[in-house]
Amino acid sequence: MVTLLLDSTRLEVVLSGTERLLAFHKGNVAIERSAISKVQLTDDAWTWLRGVPSPGTHVRGVVAMGTWKSAGSEDFAIIRRHRAGVVIDLEGHPEFQRVVLTTRHGLALVQALRLDVAADDAAADVADIAAKAARRPRKRRPAVPVPAPGVS
């Protein structure tokens, strides 16, 4: 599973050695936050693939990793089985127009991208950032006394 690191300026998709090998990609995929135009959650990441793997690995329904080229666009995909994922549309990125990933942290990524991360924060895992945001104090209503049965 890919690791997603997010700081105030960029999102980084950290690939394991196996993922790098199957994707034919030498390093991690760095995306400037300013290049992210839209983030969508999806139940089936396979429906978002367009074009052909070039270079990349594709075993239908099992794995799709690497660069996918279609008419005038290049996408980066790390898809395993039929799991939920995230689709990140990009504008102005030097390599890709879209990144499609299967991850169980898709909702956390969407929430973390909505936050304003302070400029002095170091890179952190997306799930950690979203968890910190979820810990905001909530206002509780005062307890209302309930009359005992038979008391008017």
Side-chain angles (χ1 to χ4, degrees):
M1 181 171 83
V2 296
T3 301
L4 302 172
L5 298 177
L6 180 67
D7 66 13
S8 62
T9 60
R10 71 182 189 159
L11 169 67
E12 187 170 358
V13 180
V14 181
L15 304 175
S16 69
T18 304
E19 290 165 341
R20 288 181 189 193
L21 180 69
L22 292 174
F24 294 93
H25 203 270
K26 292 181 181 179
N28 299 332
V29 178
I31 304 166
E32 295 297 321
R33 284 182 74 156
S34 60
I36 298 174
S37 62
K38 184 166 57 169
V39 180
Q40 301 175 66
L41 298 175
T42 181
D43 287 335
D44 188 8
W46 292 93
T47 60
W48 290 91
L49 285 178
R50 56 186 179 186
V52 295
S54 178
T57 301
H58 180 231
V59 177
R60 189 177 187 146
V62 178
V63 69
M65 294 188 187
T67 302
W68 290 73
K69 292 185 180 180
S70 63
S73 70
E74 288 187 17
D75 300 342
F76 186 76
I78 298 288
I79 301 173
R80 288 192 178 94
R81 306 258 179 220
H82 288 281
R83 296 182 180 152
V86 64
V87 179
I88 304 168
D89 290 321
L90 308 172
E91 287 183 15
H93 190 270
E95 281 185 274
F96 306 115
Q97 283 73 41
R98 180 183 287 168
V99 176
V100 183
L101 307 168
T102 52
T103 178
R104 63 184 127 181
H105 301 297
L107 182 58
L109 175 64
V110 172
Q111 291 172 345
L113 285 171
R114 289 184 185 164
L115 300 176
D116 290 327
V117 179
D120 58 356
D121 285 351
D125 189 24
V126 168
D128 295 338
I129 293 173
K132 287 179 188 175
R135 284 187 234 144
R136 289 180 279 187
R138 295 181 182 175
K139 294 181 181 178
R140 294 188 179 214
R141 295 183 196 170
V144 177
V146 178
V151 177
S152 299

